[in-house]
């Protein structure tokens, strides 16, 4: 498959898996192809309602903003498009 197909599969997978969590603004963030073991690693970002403790500073800020950005890495086997995993990606700092 080509990069556009891998990205389409990854974003559709995230949209489907997290649809009950009020996500929005689903965007392709990163793409990586590993020849061995023939897999795509696609990072997909989206906003979802904040679930932080309102007593914390971060929780207070999240309540003001109302949502937080999440990132998931979707691994896809190139040969047949099978989803191998969907994992959370932690992001520290700002690029």
């Amino acid at each position: 498959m080509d990069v556009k197909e891998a990205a389409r599969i990854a974003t559709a997978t995230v949209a489907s898996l997290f649809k009950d969590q009020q996500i929005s603004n689903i965007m392709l963030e990163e793409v990586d192809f590993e020849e061995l073991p023939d897999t795509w690693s696609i990072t997909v970002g989206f906003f979802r309602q904040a679930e932080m403790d309102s007593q914390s500073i971060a929780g207070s800020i999240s309540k003001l903003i109302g949502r937080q950005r999440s990132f998931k890495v979707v691994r896809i086997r190139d040969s047949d498009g099978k989803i191998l995993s969907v994992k959370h990606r932690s992001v520290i700092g700002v690029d």
Side-chain angles (χ1 to χ4, degrees), residues 15-72:
S16 176
L17 286 175
F18 297 95
K19 70 180 177 182
D20 294 336
Q21 296 183 23
Q22 300 177 358
I23 66 171
S24 63
N25 200 27
I26 301 169
M27 296 176 63
L28 173 67
E29 302 288 344
E30 296 177 342
V31 175
D32 183 41
F33 180 73
E34 301 170 48
E35 289 191 39
L36 292 174
D38 193 35
T39 60
W40 293 93
S41 293
I42 312 285
T43 303
V44 178
F46 56 90
F47 285 114
R48 73 167 129 193
Q49 293 301 117
E51 298 177 1
M52 302 181 93
D53 180 356
S54 63
Q55 299 299 316
S56 70
I57 292 172
S60 297
I61 292 169
S62 291
K63 292 250 184 233
L64 291 173
I65 296 171
R67 57 189 182 167
Q68 61 188 12
R69 193 90 177 140
S70 293
F71 299 93
K72 302 297 179 188

Side-chain angles (χ1 to χ4, degrees), residues 67-84:
R67 57 189 182 167
Q68 61 188 12
R69 193 90 177 140
S70 293
F71 299 93
K72 302 297 179 188
V73 177
V74 181
R75 291 189 65 236
I76 305 166
R77 185 167 43 218
D78 185 61
S79 61
D80 61 5
K82 180 180 179 179
I83 304 301
L84 301 174

